Amino acid sequence: MTRLKASPNASTARAQQKSLTPDQRQVVDTVSTIFSAVGAEDIAKLDSVIAPDFYIFANGMRFNGDALMAAIKALHAAGKRNNERVTEPDIHISGNTAWIAYVNKGSTTDASGTVNQNWLESAFLEKRAGTWKIVFMHSTRVPMATQENERK
């Protein structure tokens, strides 16, 4: 089993990001691809990194790939956009399975402006035909009050 525990210290996190094994880097890249795919409303790109039986728990609901994309399109139509990124990855790989826990540090933008937002997220992946595919994800929004307390 391979394990990487990243520090919240930015310079240490960058150094540890550089020390990822090729499989660990692919896991991070696979999860990051979901963010770029939904941001661009690119269902083909999304489908390229998710397993056929993929689902995610987010906002108190369960979404498969099609439902996730429909929800994102509705948010975009309402003028809302998220900017999301994987930080502080904690990656575990055993054979053809992997799980990653990370802090998604991003923001939400709408007509009123941009608000920084963090989510605690995790994903379970399987290597299928040599490529990592996301089978399951979970996302929990960090309450704004908690984020404010961390800055003090």
Side-chain angles (χ1 to χ4, degrees):
M1 183 183 323
T2 306
R3 182 178 173 161
L4 173 75
K5 180 84 173 174
S7 165
N9 178 294
S11 62
T12 302
R14 276 193 301 275
Q16 288 179 334
Q17 285 277 15
K18 291 178 185 175
S19 67
L20 296 176
T21 68
D23 269 340
Q24 289 171 328
R25 170 59 33 215
Q26 288 172 7
V27 167
V28 171
D29 291 347
T30 300
V31 172
S32 296
T33 298
I34 279 200
F35 300 148
S36 62
V38 297
E41 297 182 14
D42 186 340
I43 192 70
K45 190 174 196 177
L46 178 66
D47 286 345
S48 76
V49 294
I50 63 173
D53 52 347
F54 164 85
Y55 66 97
I56 180 172
F57 288 146
N59 297 327
M61 299 171 62
R62 178 181 167 150
F63 299 90
N64 66 15
D66 291 338
L68 176 63
M69 191 59 77
I72 294 298
K73 287 180 178 183
L75 287 173
H76 290 174
K80 296 181 180 181
R81 293 260 178 200
N82 284 343
N83 176 21
E84 303 175 272
R85 66 192 202 312
V86 175
T87 68
E88 304 174 40
D90 181 7
I91 304 163
H92 304 258
I93 297 173
S94 180
N96 287 330
T97 63
W99 67 268
I100 177 174
Y102 57 96
V103 179
N104 177 346
K105 292 187 179 180
S107 60
T108 301
T109 302
D110 62 17
S112 66
T114 299
V115 176
N116 290 332
Q117 179 65 59
N118 293 339
W119 296 265
L120 301 178
E121 297 184 342
S122 59
F124 177 80
L125 300 88
E126 291 180 345
K127 191 177 256 188
R128 298 180 178 184
T131 303
W132 289 108
K133 299 288 184 175
I134 302 170
V135 177
F136 172 75
M137 292 182 80
H138 184 267
S139 178
T140 301
R141 183 186 304 248
V142 177
M144 295 306 285
T146 302
Q147 292 181 57
E148 291 298 321
N149 289 337
E150 288 177 359
R151 290 185 205 142
K152 293 180 182 178

